[in-house]
């Protein structure tokens, strides 16, 4: 801990660890069935959209993100009270995820940080607090499935105390030395 800022532990992203916050979208360890005359595996219903409140509709977008500077002090979180929001990496690059439980008063004391291996997407459940996209590679791209329509669907909270930080040297050891060097050189 430095300057009163707690360092977040960065956990590998798993379905079990992330279940409180949403779904992990991945084919590893997921059931499938064969379609298209046996030439295609269908990993069916890995996540569901929850966007119909107040007449919302599911929309698909692409975000192109640039890494922030690390170590990163987390000073804000956002949530989408009217719909879920899914992020699926398009370029296969690892990225970070910071989340806090649902509720009206988020706390950084309850934050958790995860590292996607670049083949895993996430679907934040409606109302889950999260930091905006945390790319680790320059010009990374994500397919986003979220809500379009009327109504206020983005709450932001800014923090001045009990801050937390992310440090790249805390990435889980499952990353190869090459991946870590590539992420650090991109920053």
């Amino acid at each position: 801990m430095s300057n009163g800022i707690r360092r977040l532990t960065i956990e590998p992203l798993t379905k079990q660890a992330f279940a409180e916050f949403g779904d992990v979208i991945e084919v590893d360890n997921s059931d499938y069935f064969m379609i298209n005359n046996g030439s295609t595996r269908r990993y069916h219903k890995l996540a569901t959209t929850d966007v119909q409140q107040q007449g919302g509709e599911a929309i698909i977008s692409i975000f192109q993100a640039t890494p922030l500077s690390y170590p990163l002090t987390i000073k804000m979180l956002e949530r989408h009270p009217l719909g879920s929001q899914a992020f699926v990496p398009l370029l296969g690059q690892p990225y970070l995820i910071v989340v806090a439980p649902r509720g009206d008063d988020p706390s950084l004391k309850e934050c958790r940080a995860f590292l996607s291996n670049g083949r895993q997407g996430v679907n934040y459940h409606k109302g889950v607090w999260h930091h905006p996209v945390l790319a680790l590679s320059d010009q990374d791209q994500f397919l986003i499935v979220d809500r379009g329509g009327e109504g206020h669907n983005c709450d932001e909270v800014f923090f001045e105390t009990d801050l937390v930080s992310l440090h790249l040297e805390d990435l889980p050891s499952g990353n190869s030395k090459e991946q870590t060097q590539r992420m650090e050189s991109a920053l």
Side-chain angles (χ1 to χ4, degrees):
M1 189 176 342
S2 64
N3 302 329
I5 298 175
R6 181 177 59 92
R7 242 170 128 143
L8 277 177
T9 299
I10 302 172
E11 307 171 47
L13 182 61
T14 66
K15 291 177 182 181
Q16 297 77 18
F18 196 74
E20 174 184 359
F21 310 106
D23 309 299
V24 174
I25 302 168
E26 66 179 335
V27 297
D28 291 348
N29 302 310
S30 295
D31 292 331
Y32 65 89
F33 54 91
M34 300 305 291
I35 61 171
N36 298 335
N37 296 317
S39 67
T40 305
R41 288 182 181 184
R42 179 174 177 145
Y43 295 89
H44 186 70
K45 202 173 183 177
L46 297 174
T48 59
T49 58
D50 181 359
V51 297
Q52 289 77 29
Q53 191 171 340
Q54 294 186 16
E57 62 182 356
I59 61 172
I60 299 172
S61 307
I62 292 178
F63 288 8
Q64 186 165 311
T66 302
L68 301 174
S69 296
Y70 289 88
L72 175 68
T73 300
I74 304 298
K75 297 181 180 178
M76 71 84 64
L77 295 173
E78 66 180 27
R79 71 173 175 182
H80 305 288
L82 300 180
S84 58
Q85 185 179 46
F87 284 76
V88 179
L90 293 177
L91 303 179
Q93 302 297 327
Y95 65 98
L96 291 169
I97 300 144
V98 173
V99 289
R102 292 184 241 207
D104 290 333
D105 298 311
S107 168
L108 292 178
K109 290 180 180 179
E110 297 180 79
C111 267
R112 291 178 66 187
F114 296 94
L115 176 68
S116 166
N117 63 19
R119 296 178 315 279
Q120 300 166 300
V122 295
N123 182 47
Y124 299 120
H125 288 169
K126 180 170 39 177
V128 166
W129 292 98
H130 59 278
H131 192 278
V133 65
L134 291 168
L136 293 173
S137 300
D138 195 39
Q139 305 300 308
D140 207 356
Q141 293 181 1
F142 300 84
L143 179 96
I144 310 302
V145 179
D146 62 353
R147 182 189 183 279
E150 298 297 318
H152 175 77
N153 192 33
C154 186
D155 297 330
E156 294 178 334
V157 173
F158 293 85
F159 301 91
E160 294 182 18
T161 60
D162 298 322
L163 301 177
V164 296
S165 63
L166 292 172
H167 298 255
L168 293 184
E169 59 265 22
D170 295 340
L171 292 174
S173 60
N175 276 325
S176 71
K177 185 176 180 181
E178 178 183 310
Q179 281 179 317
T180 302
Q181 287 173 341
R182 193 169 62 230
M183 286 184 278
E184 289 173 347
S185 68
L187 305 174

